[in-house]
């Protein structure tokens, strides 16, 4: 069964900001960082940095990346691949759709551009 979680109205997540969708609220195995980029796109990746167990949702949005607040590894929001060290291992991506101005998170369904 595919998970589908209504996160609420799109306007609750301003451009350039990140929100944490907790495992408790989504039914997924871990927390997920949901990102609204400055160009208006929505993305979601695992909330835990693959370098150290740090919450990525506390990081910074830079174009189509999310930068870890501890050691500044920047993860591509489309693929989950780290673009800067020290992280070397990708994080999982999750599909986010907008339906009638509501954010719908599909935990466990990768973004279409994610590497297999």
């Amino acid at each position: 069964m595919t998970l589908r979680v209504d996160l609420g109205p799109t306007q609750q997540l301003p451009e350039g900001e990140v929100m944490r969708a907790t495992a408790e609220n989504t039914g997924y195995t871990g927390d997920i960082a949901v990102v609204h980029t400055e160009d208006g796109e929505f993305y979601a990746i695992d909330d835990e940095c693959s370098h150290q167990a740090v919450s990525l949702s506390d990081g910074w949005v830079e174009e189509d990346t999310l930068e870890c607040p501890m050691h500044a590894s920047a993860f591509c929001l489309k693929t989950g691949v780290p673009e800067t060290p020290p992280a070397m291992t990708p994080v999982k991506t999750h599909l986010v759709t907008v339906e009638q101005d509501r954010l719908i998170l599909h935990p466990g369904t990768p973004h279409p551009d994610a590497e297999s």
Side-chain angles (χ1 to χ4, degrees):
M1 180 173 121
T2 303
L3 293 174
R4 185 178 187 283
V5 181
D6 185 333
L7 297 176
T10 56
Q11 64 265 27
Q12 76 177 357
L13 183 58
E15 289 183 1
E17 297 294 321
V18 185
M19 69 184 270
R20 180 181 298 119
T22 64
E24 179 179 272
N25 291 333
T26 65
Y28 188 65
T29 56
D31 292 350
I32 296 172
V34 181
V35 179
H36 190 179
T37 63
E38 292 179 354
D39 65 1
E41 298 295 321
F42 292 96
Y43 298 98
I45 63 176
D46 280 357
D47 189 40
E48 187 174 286
C49 179
S50 61
H51 173 244
Q52 288 191 336
V54 174
S55 175
L56 292 175
S57 61
D58 292 332
W60 301 274
V61 179
E62 293 290 332
E63 296 179 5
D64 67 347
T65 66
L66 183 56
E67 185 177 305
C68 177
M70 182 168 280
H71 293 117
S73 286
F75 292 88
C76 176
L77 293 168
K78 295 178 183 178
T79 65
V81 173
E83 296 184 351
T84 57
M88 302 298 286
T89 305
V91 294
K92 290 182 180 176
T93 64
H94 305 272
L95 182 63
V96 178
T97 57
V98 176
E99 299 174 19
Q100 299 176 344
D101 291 324
R102 295 191 71 80
L103 280 176
I104 308 299
L105 175 64
H106 305 266
T109 300
H111 184 279
D113 293 335
E115 295 181 358
S116 303

